[in-house]
Structure formats: structure tokens, C-alpha cells
């Protein structure tokens, strides 16, 4: 039996999503830009999906317009659009300052480095224990700070940033500053009051049981009014001119279906993640081996679906492959960092020593997980500790 515990890398697609996408592929296959009935119906799917998703992002009771959501090919593209689209926008940002958290996802960090290479003023803020260093942040904020990007939930550690505090500090320095938040790992898992002050939000379908290859960028009315976003992809002018290219209609409908599923089961999902987190921490503690260190802090506001653990003395890849042989699937750092074979920048900023980074694994839960998955994980780690460390002697 499979025990998939790598849901922050991607989640298995939900049955209701697959059903919806199949319906669109077979019946509603028109191009939304076509002027006939099939095009109209496809466009209607997009508009309805936007309403569903926008209602989960905008402050309760507030109105929104459909041009506040821009569908993209993934979360990475949405953050590229937010950052590079802002830098190149009418707001004339050359010479102004951009601030980023040091533990942001590669899709944000690498945009920031690109801006730096173009001559923009860019500051990176460290995140010891996973949270933005607020003193350092305050010292970097200046009147010419025009853009701040901070993620809600870190994908490697599950640490949660206080976006509203980050936003209000930035606005005290410059009221026109634009706040971007990478919400990918927090979307549909936290109340919107925790990120309601952001001007732009990045989301991705495949982290919540939707299909891979669909993301979106939410932009506030202020962003539109200030004309603070320009496209980075040019063509037929779809998505109100912000993102050209024929829309992935089935994927978009699947994304909205996944959002509905999470909305309808919200308290059950929160309870499940809380329970799996508690159970994992307790059972790992019961092994009573001091080589097991849980890195994710147990703060009041935390992402229960992600736990980062170091198993001292056993390299991450060795443990990962051992667990994989038992059909227990976890990751070492983030899936993206493991591609590049470099030591995780997140865990470095977090404050872990190199040898602990090299032995860390990330466990992440999804809605399909059960107590049996945690049992299999914990006995796998226990067995791994016994076999792998004795093999090294
Ligand atoms: N941001 C965070 C925090 C992520 O964890 C990920 C994916 O792992 C992304 C952005 C990128 O999303 P996508 O895979 O849709 O490009």
C-alpha cells in the first residue's frame, strides 16, 4: 500500500476535479476567444471559475471584478508576472527598492536575482526559524521601497509569516508600496484574514488536488488603478491583456472544483492536518532517539500539513530512498531544490547547520492521508535508523 506524504510537492488529483475536467474536455472544448456558442460556453466556464476563486481571496463582503484574477500556467508564472510585471509597469520603478524574504520559493528568488542583474535595488531579508527577521526588515524599509514579496507558508519548513504586519510596516514607509504574497502553500488552508492586506497573491491548483499546469495571480483594485502591472507574455490579449495565450479551460474548471472541495470540507481538512501533525510529532518523540530532531517550530499559527525533520547521521537521499522502498514517499528539502542538487537556501536561512540540512526530510500531508500513513512513516524512519546507521559502521 502506498503512503504518499509529499503533498507540498504535488497532490493527487481529486475525483471531482477529474470528473469536471473530463466533462470540459469532451463537451465544452471550445476556444474561449471564439465568437460562436462553443466559445461563449468556454468563456462562461472561465468567468464562473474566477468568481469561485476570487470569493476565497478577497475580503468577505467586498466586491470584486473578474479582471482581478489572471490565470497562468502555474504558480511560478504567476509570481514571475507579479514581480517582473510590476517592475516593468507604468508605475516607473527603475532605481526603486524591492524587498524579498531570503526563504522565498525559487520562482520568487530567481526573479529577484534577475531584477538585481538589471540594476534594480534589491534587498533579501533572512528568516531565522523560518520567519522574516522583522528588525532587519524594518531597517531595510525606505520611502523608495515600491515592492515587498513575502510568502505566507514556507514550502520546506511550514513556517508562517505575518503578512498583515509585513504589509502595514511597508505602508508606513511608503503608502503606495505593492505587497506580493506567494500563497501557494497556504491557499485554502488558512483564513483569508491572514493575507487580506496583500495587493497580489500567487496560487497554484496542483497543491490542493487540482491539475498541474494551472495557477493564478490575484491583483487588488489598487494594482489596477495604479496601473502597477504590465504583461510579461504578449499575444492575443487574453486575460484582459495581462496574460496572452489560449486559456487552459479544463484546467481552470478543475482548479475551481478543487477550491469548492476545500471550501466545502474546510473544517474536516483542518482537523485532519492537525491530527496527523500531532500524531507524527508524538510518534517520532516516542521512538526516543535523540538523532531525530523536528525542525518546524510549534508556533501558535503554523501550517500543520508540513513538518521538516532531521534524522542525524543519515543523509536525506539515503533515508528518502529507504522510505521509498517501503512505498513511503517524502522529500528532501523542496522538490525544486533537490533538482538543482544545492543545499537548501531555506534551511540555511532557518539556521540549521550544514550536516543537519543534509539529513533533513520534509513530510507533507494531503486530504487523502490517514493514521496508517503516519504509522508507516514512523516505523520506516525507525527501521531506517537501525539499518542504515548500522550499515555505515
Ligand atoms: N511557491 C511555492 C511556495 C511552492 O511551494 C511552489 C511549488 O512547489 C511554487 C511557488 C510553484 O508552483 P508551481 O509548481 O505551480 O509552479
Amino acid at each position: 500500500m502506498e503512503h504518499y506524504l509529499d503533498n507540498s510537492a504535488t497532490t493527487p488529483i481529486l475525483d471531482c476535479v477529474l470528473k469536471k475536467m473530463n466533462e470540459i474536455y469532451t463537451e465544452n472544448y471550445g476556444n474561449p476567444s471564439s465568437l460562436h456558442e462553443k466559445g461563449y460556453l468556454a468563456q462562461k466556464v472561465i468567468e464562473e471559475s474566477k468568481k469561485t476563486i476570487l470569493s476565497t481571496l478577497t475580503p468577505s463582503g467586498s466586491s470584486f471584478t473578474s479582471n482581478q484574477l489572471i490565470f497562468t500556467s502555474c504558480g511560478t508564472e504567476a509570481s514571475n508576472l507579479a514581480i517582473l510585471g510590476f517592475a516593468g509597469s507604468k508605475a516607473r520603478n527603475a532605481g526603486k527598492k524591492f524587498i524579498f524574504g531570503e526563504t522565498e520559493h525559487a520562482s520568487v528568488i530567481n526573479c529577484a536575482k534577475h531584477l538585481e542583474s538589471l540594476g534594480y535595488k534589491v534587498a533579501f531579508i533572512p528568516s531565522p526559524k523560518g520567519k522574516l527577521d522583522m528588525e532587519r526588515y524594518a531597517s531595510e524599509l525606505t520611502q523608495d521601497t515600491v515592492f515587498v514579496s513575502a510568502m505566507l507558508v514556507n514550502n520546506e519548513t511550514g513556517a508562517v509569516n505575518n503578512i498583515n504586519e509585513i504589509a502595514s510596516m511597508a505602508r508606513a514607509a511608503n503608502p503606495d508600496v505593492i505587497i506580493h504574497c506567494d500563497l501557494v502553500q497556504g491557499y485554502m488552508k488558512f483564513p483569508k484574514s491572514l493575507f487580506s492586506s496583500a495587493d497580489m497573491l500567487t496560487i497554484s491548483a496542483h497543491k490542493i488536488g487540482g491539475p498541474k499546469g494551472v495557477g493564478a495571480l490575484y491583483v487588488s483594485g489598487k494594482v489596477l488603478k495604479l496601473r502597477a502591472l504590465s504583461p510579461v507574455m504578449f499575444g492575443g490579449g487574453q486575460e484582459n491583456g495581462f496574460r496572452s495565450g489560449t486559456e487552459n479551460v479544463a484546467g481552470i474548471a478543475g482548479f475551481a472544483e478543487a477550491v469548492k472541495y476545500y471550501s466545502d470540507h474546510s473544517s474536516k481538512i483542518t482537523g485532519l492536518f492537525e491530527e496527523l501533525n500531532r500524531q507524527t510529532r508524538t510518534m517520532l518523540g516516542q521512538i526516543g532517539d535523540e538523532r531525530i530532531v523536528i525542525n518546524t517550530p510549534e508556533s501558535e499559527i503554523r501550517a500543520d500539513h508540513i513538518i521538516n525533520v532531521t534524522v542525524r547521521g543519515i543523509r536525506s537521499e539515503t533515508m528518502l530512498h529507504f522510505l521509498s522502498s517501503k512505498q513511503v514517499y517524502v522529500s528532501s528539502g523542496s522538490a525544486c531544490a533537490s533538482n538543482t542538487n544545492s543545499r537548501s537556501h531555506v534551511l540555511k536561512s532557518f539556521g540549521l547547520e550544514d550536516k543537519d540540512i543534509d539529513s533533513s526530510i520534509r513530510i507533507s500531508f494531503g486530504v487523502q492521508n490517514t493514521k496508517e500513513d503516519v504509522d508507516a512513516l514512523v516505523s520506516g524512519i525507525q527501521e531506517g535508523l537501525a539499518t542504515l546507521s548500522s550499515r555505515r559502521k
Side-chain angles (χ1 to χ4, degrees):
M1 187 188 163
E2 271 189 20
H3 303 282
Y4 184 78
L5 293 164
D6 196 14
N7 293 275
S8 285
T10 197
T11 51
I13 202 156
L14 292 163
D15 288 344
C16 59
V17 170
L18 210 49
K19 189 163 164 258
K20 185 73 187 178
M21 289 178 70
N22 203 26
E23 181 193 309
I24 305 284
Y25 276 129
T26 51
E27 291 164 29
N28 206 343
Y29 48 79
N31 184 325
S33 297
S34 292
L35 297 178
H36 48 68
E37 180 73 1
K38 282 284 180 197
Y40 165 76
L41 291 173
Q43 184 59 38
K44 205 166 149 218
V45 169
I46 296 179
E47 289 304 311
E48 280 166 7
S49 303
K50 281 195 182 186
K51 272 193 206 139
T52 301
I53 298 174
L54 276 166
S55 68
T56 63
L57 295 170
T58 48
S60 306
S62 70
S63 58
F64 52 78
T65 50
S66 73
N67 58 352
Q68 285 181 249
L69 197 74
I70 304 157
F71 284 118
T72 61
S73 66
C74 56
T76 298
E77 191 197 326
S79 287
N80 272 253
L81 174 59
I83 300 162
L84 305 181
F86 173 76
S89 72
K90 294 239 165 32
R92 308 212 184 283
N93 298 303
K96 300 286 170 61
K97 191 166 182 182
F98 288 62
I99 299 184
F100 298 88
E102 206 172 73
T103 57
E104 293 295 312
H105 185 263
S107 52
V108 168
I109 291 283
N110 289 335
C111 281
K113 289 185 180 160
H114 179 62
L115 288 186
E116 209 172 22
S117 74
L118 295 177
Y120 286 86
K121 270 195 262 173
V122 176
F124 294 97
I125 312 295
S127 292
K129 290 283 162 217
K131 289 185 179 200
L132 213 63
D133 176 339
M134 296 306 267
E135 267 180 41
R136 176 72 183 278
Y137 174 58
S139 74
E140 287 287 356
L141 281 170
T142 48
Q143 228 178 343
D144 73 344
T145 301
V146 289
F147 192 88
V148 172
S149 184
M151 67 203 322
L152 182 69
V153 176
N154 184 271
N155 48 303
E156 291 185 49
T157 62
V160 180
N161 271 322
N162 186 335
I163 300 300
N164 294 337
E165 189 187 354
I166 289 167
S168 69
M169 283 169 70
R171 287 190 183 121
N174 173 15
D176 284 338
V177 66
I178 295 296
I179 311 295
H180 168 249
C181 171
D182 176 347
L183 188 60
V184 168
Q185 294 291 346
Y187 184 44
M188 297 312 292
K189 290 162 187 150
F190 283 91
K192 49 191 177 179
S193 56
L194 289 194
F195 51 81
S196 56
S197 51
D199 299 299
M200 298 200 215
L201 297 164
T202 292
I203 54 176
S204 176
H206 73 107
K207 310 292 184 179
I208 56 162
K212 292 169 190 57
V214 193
L217 180 69
Y218 160 81
V219 293
S220 67
K222 174 179 156 188
V223 172
L224 297 175
K225 196 164 150 230
L226 292 176
R227 303 174 87 187
L229 190 72
S230 60
V232 292
M233 215 142 107
F234 297 88
Q238 288 91 342
E239 295 299 275
N240 297 298
F242 286 120
R243 201 278 185 181
S244 288
T246 303
E247 297 90 338
N248 176 357
V249 185
I252 287 169
F255 193 176
E257 200 62 29
V259 167
K260 278 189 214 152
Y261 179 91
Y262 268 69
S263 296
D264 293 347
H265 299 86
S266 134
S267 53
K268 199 173 131 207
I269 295 171
T270 310
L272 173 71
F273 291 163
E274 255 174 43
E275 181 55 24
L276 295 173
N277 186 299
R278 195 193 49 74
Q279 194 192 341
T280 307
R281 286 175 185 271
T282 309
M283 289 179 71
L284 285 177
Q286 280 165 352
I287 296 178
D289 189 319
E290 60 192 19
R291 288 172 296 175
I292 300 175
V293 181
I294 298 179
N295 299 317
T296 303
E298 262 201 285
S299 50
E300 213 173 295
I301 297 178
R302 60 169 197 239
D304 280 325
H305 60 293
I306 302 175
I307 309 184
N308 190 291
V309 178
T310 291
V311 185
R312 286 191 174 140
I314 301 174
R315 288 188 67 85
S316 315
E317 315 81 73
T318 311
M319 180 57 92
L320 187 150
H321 289 125
F322 180 78
L323 291 173
S324 178
S325 72
K326 313 251 163 231
Q327 290 189 289
V328 175
Y329 304 112
V330 298
S331 77
S332 55
S334 77
C336 315
S338 23
N339 281 343
T340 58
N341 258 342
S342 58
R343 200 167 269 139
S344 157
H345 67 289
V346 174
L347 298 178
K348 265 191 192 172
S349 187
F350 192 92
L352 290 194
E353 284 181 33
D354 286 354
K355 62 180 189 331
D356 282 350
I357 297 178
D358 295 344
S359 296
S360 85
I361 56 170
R362 177 187 67 182
I363 301 149
S364 51
F365 304 118
V367 296
Q368 79 288 358
N369 286 132
T370 61
K371 183 178 177 307
E372 283 66 44
D373 297 322
V374 177
D375 289 342
L377 167 80
V378 174
S379 54
I381 291 179
Q382 194 164 13
E383 203 183 316
L385 264 170
T387 357
L388 302 170
S389 30
S390 64
R391 246 189 243 159
R392 284 155 56 96
K393 279 178 193 158

